[in-house]
Structures are given as structure tokens and as C-alpha cells.
Amino acid sequence: MLSLALRTVKGRRGGFVAAFIAILLGCAVITACGVLVDSGLRAGIAPERYAGAAVVVGANQELPVHDEMAQPFTERVPLPESDVDAVAHVPGVRRAIGDVSVAVAVAGTSLPVYAHSWSSVALGPLPLVAGRAPMAADEVVVAANLGAGVGRDIELDVGAVPSRYHVVGVVSGDFARQSAVFLTDAAAESLAGRPGAVDTIGVLASPGVDADDLAARISAALPKVVTYTGNARADAEFLDIGQARSFLITLAGAFGGSMVMLVLLVVASTLGLTMTQRRREFALLRAIAATPKQIHRLIGAETLLVGVIGAVLGTIPGYVLSFLLRDAFAAVGAMPSDFQFVLDPVPGLGALVLVVGAARLAGYLAGRRVARISPVDALGEAAAEPKRLGRTRVIIGCVLIPVAIGAAVVVPLTVPGENAVAGAGGSALLLVVALALLGPALVQVAARISERMSVSVGGYLAGANTLANARRLSAATTPLILGVTMASVQIFSATTMLAAGQHQADTGTVANYVLTARAGGLSPRIADAVGQIPGTTVDAVARTTVLLSFTQGGDPQVEPFAAQGVTGRGLASVANLDVRSGDLDALTGNTVALSSMAAGTAGVGLGDTVTMHLGDGTLAHPKVVAIYGNGLGFGDVTLPHDVVIAHTTNQVDSAVLISTGPAVTPITLRAALAGYPSVAIADRAAFTAAQNTSQSNQSSVNLILDTVILAYLAIAVANTLVAATAARSREFALLQLVGTTRRQVRTMMRGEARIVIALAIVFGSLAALPPLVGISIGLTGTVLPSIPPLAYLGVIGAATVLAWCSITVATRSALRGKPIEAISASRA
């Protein structure tokens, strides 16, 4: 059977090109997803300050989730200082050194700078190249890449509060992504502001002790800690590396699953088109006693042959695509630019199995009808398409439409929180499947309308030909409908979220001025200093991310939410969170205010107690005292300021909001901030613009993935339409032989192109509308999504150009030869 399949594929190269390209590109994207997952599990960067430590010990930076990926904590989880002595007593440990890291700002350097205790230089090791160790609280040793020499004074800003230190030494080290300064151990501990705690513990091993064996001993002695060896030591040194791992694994897993479904749909559509074009061939095989099983085996062998070759060739560009995605994610700040990927054959092999399996399933689905028709009916069906759709197909298609619309619109009205948005977004695929099932009937309706409105021979032929070949045209149109729907849902759900967030930030910010730090955050003392000015109302805002735990459908769930900490003393005068119930004045102690989205997701209401982990992993059970509407503009969780500050890595504010009377000017504010030169004063417009930029950056990752999906769909659409048109050379030749001119044939195809484009725009837009309405209801409570007219014109314009060029160029190519030669070639 394989040899027969090879001959049929060779003889019908054009018919299999569409499926081959769809499989190749699908395998490339899925391979890239596999590389992202593999790199998230095994890649990273080399350690810098911890390069000389055999083992680095840290607290668990993740929250385990039942049957799901662990959720990372965004702030540093500290270790008790007593663990340093416990680690030091483990056999094989020569020395255990507790380390703290404090973010500082130094003028004239672009690298992040951190202050550490002097004892931690042994973990590099970072040898002194000049001067001596610090001995007084105002003495400092600097890394050579800071460019400060011994004997000079250097100013370090911690939370925009400057302090002057005297440089007494310089150390060398291989610093690529940071710089460092070293204080006395006591001064570093005081600067960190967490007495009795360390960030990590660096371990120097005794001679001859294996690092992995030593890590196992430490884990056995202190079961709650996490040990790092090899390049994994960088995960403890740099928090963004561990967060990048979680980001890659979660993102690639979800995106890869979506791509497998998309590849299945596109390949099924292209193979269905190929099967439709081969009706005459299968009819002849059935007429000469080929059994349905043999037809299925032939189709299966052909699909496997094309699938394996396409998938193998697709793995190579897949690895290239993974590095392009890495660079794109780094460009939008979603992951570090120096995060190294690993190249391994496993992702390519996994993608090959998935794509070939999807292609085989698609081939089975596409060949079911042609394999089971009776020999008597086979030749009749080869001459003309069946006029009616199968009853099962019609029933499934008709049932899917109300189910999808219900999921899109009814679910957001009845189910609160993020589930409403997810349900609405997922309904788009159901609507596209329904349209694909009912496609031939819809094409027939469009063809009849086109036929009645035609005033030329070409227009009449377009309508009549479309009416007679509705199944073929439906198979060619489905990818274009899918493209319009997916593009609309992905793009306009993002614009709806951004518009809602921008509106909430613009209308909710009522402060006159906003203070920010030119580098890092703001010490809480700055808000206290400004608050002393008569006629000012001040509220400091600290930002973090919390993990909200709840039960849904009997299963435990954990979701991250952006959180802010506010003092509450002047919140109403500087920001309007649109409180729906409760009172923000009660936000003190062990309390929390939630956005309606967060409250709906967790299934809690006013007066309920929620379970959450703060930024550094601390478990809290605050009581809900208010529910507000402006979660997209300000964050979904609002906590007391002192709670957030105490559980963040740097213990600084993100901004200070100020409302003033007419007597207070920027000059007045600058005078009050004379001792803090690195504090920037901005107006409300600048603050809301920064908020909107932050929200835009968060959606950039989705835009990158949407670009990959839409590019795949665009190529699949062009590929399918070209293949469908190019395969009609015999039909075009026959029309010319009976007196139709080439110009009339081109006019006919332009008419078909208009039908295809109209179907794609109308039904693609209709399929996108319910999900977008549901997403808008879930996000904003209104039924009107934000659809920029120019963006929508861009979507339909791209679909129009893609379809028109694909059909017209393929038509011209098919009309190049002489009609009699085309007839002879098609019979061969």
C-alpha cells in the first residue's frame, strides 16, 4: 500500500502541496513550543557572584499547585538566619555564608547594582585588586565595572534616599548582568531591613566533596529549603531567571496545545479539499471493487507519507523560530535577553509525533465519506457533488452554534471572573467548526444570490459553478473564515482590555502630581516628607503580585493577581477605584479589597475571608472589606501599605500620589524634596501614560503569539486557495473548448473570489462577534468591545488581498497552457 501511495502522491503533487505545507509549518511552530518548554526546564544562564559556591541554598520560590504547574513568587522569599548555622553543620560543608542583596542606584551606570555583605565575596570568589575590606559603616568595596577608584566617595541611592560612602577597595569579577558594592556585614544587614533573615546561603564544600551529593545532604537536613548546583545556582542569584522558566513552560504549553488543534483543523480542511478533488479517482477505485478498508488504507498511507516528510522538514525551521521567539519575548521585557536556550532532538521528535498523528486523524476524517459510498453511487457522485449535507453533519453544526453563543454571551452574564472571559474566548473555535460543517449550505446561499445579481457571462458562471461545487469552495473558504475570526478575536480582545484599563486609569487617577524614582523605587520616608507640606494629600502606592487560592468545581486553584498597597489616609483624594460595595476606609490590618474580577474568580464576597500568598510567599487570610471596579487600571488586589511593603524584596514604593491646592506648585514640591535629587515629579497625564504603557507591555506577549498564529493561518489560506484553484485546469480547459473565452474564465474566478471574500468577511466577523461581546462583558460589564475601525479594516483588507491574489494568480497560471493539452494532461 505504501508503494501505491507513493505513486499517487507523485502523480498528484499539486493536490498534496497544501497539506504538505500546512504540516511543515505546523510542525515548525510546535517544535518551537517544545524548545521553549525544554529550555524552561533545563536552560538558563551561568552564575556570576555565586560561581565559586558548590551549592546555593534558598527558600522555595514557588507555590505548588495540585495537578498544575507551580506558581512562582515574584518577590524574594527569605530564609531565617538560623539556617546558616544549620547548613554549616552538614557534613561536607567547609563554610556557609548568608547573603543579602539590596537594590541601590549609582549615577553613571546602566547595570543594576546590588549591595551585599563583605563576607559574600568568598562565594565568587571576588579577589581584591586594590585597597582593603570595609571596616566602618560608611566604607564600601566596589566592583571594578563601576569605575570608582580607591579613595573616592560614591553616592548610593536606596529607595531614592542618597547616602555617601568612602571607597576603600575594588574587587574583580565576571559581571555581565549586574554590578555590586560590598559593605560590612552589619551595615548590609541594616540596609536590607530584614533583621534575622538572609536571601540565600552560599556553601563552600570541603575538598573532594561532590556538589550534588552535598546538595542532597543539605536537603535531607533542611527539608524546606531548595538547593541549587551547576548553572541552576543562577536561579537563586537572579529571581528573573526562575520566573522566566515558569513563563516559558506555561506559555509554550498553552500555545502548543492551541497550535495542535489549529494544525488539525487546517490540515483536515486541506485534506478534505484534496479528497473532494479526487472524487473521480476514488469512484473508479470503488467501481472496480476496492473496499472501504482499502480506500482508508490508501488515504492513511498517503497522509502518513506526506505527514512524515512535511514534519521532518518542519523541525529545522522550528528550532530557528524558537530563537526568534526568545528574542521577541526579550525585546518586550517578558524574559531576560541573556537567557540561553538548549537544542535537543526531543522537541522535534515530539512535534513530529503530534503533527503526524494530527495529520493521520485529519486524513481519516476527510476520507470517511469517499471510503464508504457504494460502488453504484461512486461514479454518480464523481460527476457531481451531493446536493445535500449529511443529517449528522447538519445536526452537529446547528447544535454547535447556540452552544458557542451561549458560552460566549450567557456564561459571562452568569459566571463571574476570569472564567467568563476564558469561556467567551474559547467559543470562537466552536463557531468556526460549526461554520465549517454548514459551509456548503452557506456557500450555496451565497452562490444563488450572486447568480441572480449577475449581469455578465463570467458572473453567471461564477454563481452557477459555485452552486455546483459548494463543498469544494467551502473547504477552500474555511481557513479564510478561521483567519478572520481568530485575527478579530485575538486583536480586539487585546484592544478591549487595553481600552478598559486606559479608561480606568485616566478616570480613576485624580492626583495632581506623582512622584517616581529615576531608578528603583521610593523609600516610604519620601511620602512622609511630602505629606508635611500644608495643603497636600498624599498616598504611597507599593506594587507586587499575590497568589489567590480558591476552590473551583471541587479542585484547588491558584491565580496570580497584580496587587497594590495603599496607606488609605488620602486614597479617596488621589485615586478613585470605583468601589461597588464596602468601604476602603476599613482597609487596615488583616483586610483586603478586591476587584470585581478577582472576587468573581475566587467566588468570594464582602465579609468573606480569602486565602492568599503575598509576594514573598507569606500565607495570609485577610477579610474582604471592599469590592471595586477599576481593577484593570490599578490592580485586582488592594492591601494595606505596610503589609505589601513588609513582603516585597526591596521594601520601596512604586509611586507617591499627591493632590494639592493651587498654592502648591512643582517648585514647592521640589523644595520639600531637596534632599532626594533622584526623585522625579510628574503630572497625572504622565502617570496614567506610564500605567497604560505597562498594560501594553503585558499584552505584547499575546501579540507575538497572535502574529505566529495569524502568519500560519495566512500561509495556510493562501496555500489552500492556490491549490484549490490550480487543480481546476481541466475545468478551465473544458470551458474554453465549449466557447468560453479566457477573459470570461478570469471574470468567473474573480466572481468566485468575491464570493469567497464575502463569505469569509461576513461569517468570520459574525463568528468573532459573540466571543468579543462576552469578553467585553467579562472585562468591563458592557456589551460593546473596543474595535478600532482602522484595525478592523486592516483585518478584512488583509483577508481580501490574500484571497484575491491567491485565486487570481493561480487562475492565470492554470490558463497559460492550451486547452487541449490541459485536458490531455488531466486524463493522464
Side-chain angles (χ1 to χ4, degrees):
M1 189 61 72
L2 186 61
S3 60
L4 178 60
L6 181 61
R7 289 196 294 270
T8 58
V9 170
K10 284 183 178 180
R12 292 185 172 274
R13 293 189 187 94
F16 286 99
V17 164
F20 174 80
I21 294 178
I23 291 169
L24 185 148
L25 296 176
C27 188
V29 177
I30 296 173
T31 298
C33 292
V35 174
L36 296 183
V37 172
D38 192 29
S39 298
L41 292 171
R42 301 193 294 132
I45 66 170
E48 293 182 0
R49 283 194 317 107
Y50 294 159
V55 182
V56 177
V57 180
N60 191 355
Q61 281 291 150
E62 295 180 330
L63 176 65
V65 182
H66 178 69
D67 290 338
E68 299 286 345
M69 264 203 64
Q71 290 281 358
F73 299 122
T74 56
E75 310 290 346
R76 172 77 69 176
V77 181
L79 287 170
E81 196 170 20
S82 58
D83 283 354
V84 179
D85 290 335
V87 171
H89 286 87
V90 173
V93 173
R94 175 165 59 91
R95 186 181 176 192
I97 302 170
D99 183 34
V100 294
S101 297
V102 182
V104 299
V106 179
T109 180
S110 59
L111 288 172
V113 183
Y114 298 93
H116 308 276
S117 57
W118 171 247
S119 59
S120 67
V121 297
L123 301 175
L126 306 173
L128 271 170
V129 294
R132 59 173 175 81
M135 292 182 289
D138 62 346
E139 292 180 345
V140 66
V141 172
V142 301
N145 63 350
L146 273 181
V150 174
R152 291 180 53 186
D153 285 346
I154 186 172
E155 193 171 87
L156 305 180
D157 284 2
V158 180
V161 178
S163 297
R164 187 164 293 276
Y165 292 84
H166 186 64
V167 178
V168 296
V170 178
V171 296
S172 65
D174 186 14
F175 292 117
R177 65 186 340 252
Q178 65 177 329
S179 188
V181 297
F182 299 91
L183 312 176
T184 64
D185 290 1
E189 181 179 347
S190 174
L191 198 64
R194 293 189 296 272
V198 296
D199 291 345
T200 57
I201 302 171
V203 178
L204 302 179
S206 300
V209 176
D210 180 73
D212 291 331
D213 291 342
L214 183 57
R217 295 177 200 168
I218 295 172
S219 296
L222 289 85
K224 293 184 178 181
V225 303
V226 178
T227 56
Y228 304 87
T229 60
N231 279 351
R233 292 169 295 173
D235 291 21
E237 185 174 355
F238 306 107
L239 282 183
D240 58 345
I241 300 302
Q243 292 166 0
R245 292 184 188 279
S246 178
F247 164 78
L248 288 174
I249 296 170
T250 303
L251 182 79
F255 181 59
S258 300
M259 280 306 304
V260 170
M261 294 180 61
L262 189 59
V263 169
L264 175 62
L265 192 58
V266 170
V267 172
S269 178
T270 53
L271 285 175
L273 177 64
T274 302
M275 299 307 155
T276 301
Q277 293 171 342
R278 296 173 64 192
R279 290 194 320 273
R280 187 182 300 274
E281 174 187 335
F282 289 127
L284 181 59
L285 289 174
R286 291 291 287 124
I288 59 175
T291 65
K293 185 176 181 180
Q294 290 173 325
I295 297 292
H296 260 306
R297 287 180 59 195
L298 175 62
I299 293 173
E302 293 170 348
T303 305
L304 285 176
L305 184 63
V306 174
V308 169
I309 296 175
V312 169
L313 294 179
T315 56
I316 298 174
Y319 286 98
V320 176
L321 177 61
S322 68
F323 282 86
L324 295 177
L325 288 174
R326 182 198 66 179
D327 293 342
F329 293 147
V332 300
M335 63 179 295
S337 59
D338 55 354
F339 192 96
Q340 300 299 314
F341 274 19
V342 294
L343 291 179
D344 191 271
V346 173
L349 292 174
L352 189 149
V353 172
L354 283 173
V355 173
V356 171
R360 182 64 188 91
L361 177 60
Y364 172 78
L365 296 174
R368 278 200 316 158
R369 178 174 179 82
V370 296
R372 69 186 182 189
I373 58 176
S374 67
V376 176
D377 295 334
L379 290 175
E381 290 209 6
E385 287 187 350
K387 296 299 183 183
R388 295 182 180 179
L389 296 176
R391 180 178 300 177
T392 303
R393 179 172 180 170
V394 172
I395 291 174
I396 295 175
C398 291
V399 168
L400 282 179
I401 291 178
V403 170
I405 294 176
V409 180
V410 177
V411 170
L413 291 173
T414 57
V415 179
E418 293 186 343
N419 290 329
V421 178
S427 66
L429 195 58
L430 290 178
L431 285 169
V432 171
V433 172
L435 291 176
L437 293 172
L438 301 176
L442 301 176
V443 170
Q444 288 176 350
V445 173
R448 289 192 178 94
I449 295 174
S450 175
E451 191 177 27
R452 291 175 182 176
M453 296 177 61
S454 299
V455 294
S456 64
V457 173
Y460 173 80
L461 286 174
N465 206 24
T466 300
L467 190 61
N469 297 279
R471 290 177 182 267
R472 180 200 63 203
L473 196 64
S474 173
T477 308
T478 297
L480 191 60
I481 295 175
L482 178 62
V484 172
T485 302
M486 294 290 288
S488 299
V489 171
Q490 298 293 335
I491 293 172
F492 301 135
S493 60
T495 58
T496 298
M497 179 178 291
L498 289 175
Q502 180 176 351
H503 176 74
Q504 291 179 11
D506 291 344
T507 59
T509 303
V510 295
N512 302 91
Y513 301 102
V514 179
L515 304 183
T516 57
R518 294 192 176 95
L522 299 170
S523 169
R525 73 168 69 174
I526 292 175
D528 295 335
V530 177
Q532 302 301 316
I533 302 174
T536 62
T537 303
V538 176
D539 204 319
V541 179
R543 299 200 181 279
T544 187
T545 299
V546 301
L547 301 179
L548 208 60
S549 300
F550 52 94
T551 300
Q552 189 175 83
D555 295 325
Q557 302 288 328
V558 175
E559 287 292 338
F561 287 98
Q564 63 177 352
V566 296
T567 62
R569 61 194 177 197
L571 181 61
S573 299
V574 298
N576 175 19
L577 298 187
D578 183 24
V579 177
R580 306 286 176 83
S581 60
D583 187 359
L584 288 175
D585 289 340
L587 192 67
T588 59
N590 192 30
T591 60
V592 66
L594 300 177
S595 71
S596 53
M597 174 68 74
T601 301
V604 297
L606 196 65
D608 291 338
T609 298
V610 298
T611 299
M612 69 170 61
H613 286 79
L614 302 175
D616 65 351
T618 301
L619 180 63
H621 300 281
K623 178 183 178 181
V624 179
V625 296
I627 295 177
Y628 56 92
N630 286 347
L632 290 174
F634 293 90
D636 288 299
V637 177
T638 299
L639 291 158
H641 180 267
D642 56 348
V643 172
V644 171
I645 280 286
H647 298 283
T648 56
T649 303
N650 298 317
Q651 300 180 343
V652 293
D653 294 322
S654 301
V656 175
L657 304 181
I658 307 170
S659 286
T660 68
V664 179
T665 65
I667 296 176
T668 309
L669 294 176
R670 179 50 63 194
L673 296 169
Y676 311 104
S678 62
V679 176
I681 303 175
D683 58 14
R684 180 174 61 187
F687 174 72
T688 56
Q691 293 281 89
N692 297 334
T693 300
S694 175
Q695 294 169 359
S696 179
N697 290 340
Q698 292 174 5
S699 66
S700 296
V701 171
N702 291 334
L703 181 60
I704 292 169
L705 299 181
D706 293 344
T707 300
V708 174
I709 290 175
L710 297 179
Y712 174 74
L713 284 175
I715 296 173
V717 165
N719 177 43
T720 302
L721 291 174
V722 168
T725 305
R728 297 170 63 184
S729 57
R730 184 178 184 276
E731 175 189 336
F732 296 159
L734 184 60
L735 285 171
Q736 292 177 77
L737 290 176
V738 298
T740 307
T741 65
R742 293 193 178 195
R743 181 177 180 181
Q744 289 172 331
V745 173
R746 287 196 294 269
T747 302
M748 176 190 76
M749 293 307 298
R750 286 195 292 269
E752 287 193 19
R754 284 190 289 270
I755 294 173
V756 168
I757 292 168
L759 285 170
I761 292 174
V762 171
F763 292 111
S765 300
L766 289 175
L769 190 57
L772 289 174
V773 170
I775 290 171
S776 181
I777 293 173
L779 290 175
T780 67
T782 63
V783 297
L784 295 178
S786 176
I787 302 178
L790 290 179
Y792 179 66
L793 289 176
V795 171
I796 63 175
T800 300
V801 170
L802 192 64
W804 187 267
C805 293
S806 299
I807 292 175
T808 55
V809 170
T811 299
R812 289 183 179 276
S813 177
L815 289 172
R816 285 178 181 173
K818 294 180 180 179
I820 191 65
E821 293 176 352
I823 290 286
S824 301
S826 64
R827 286 178 176 175

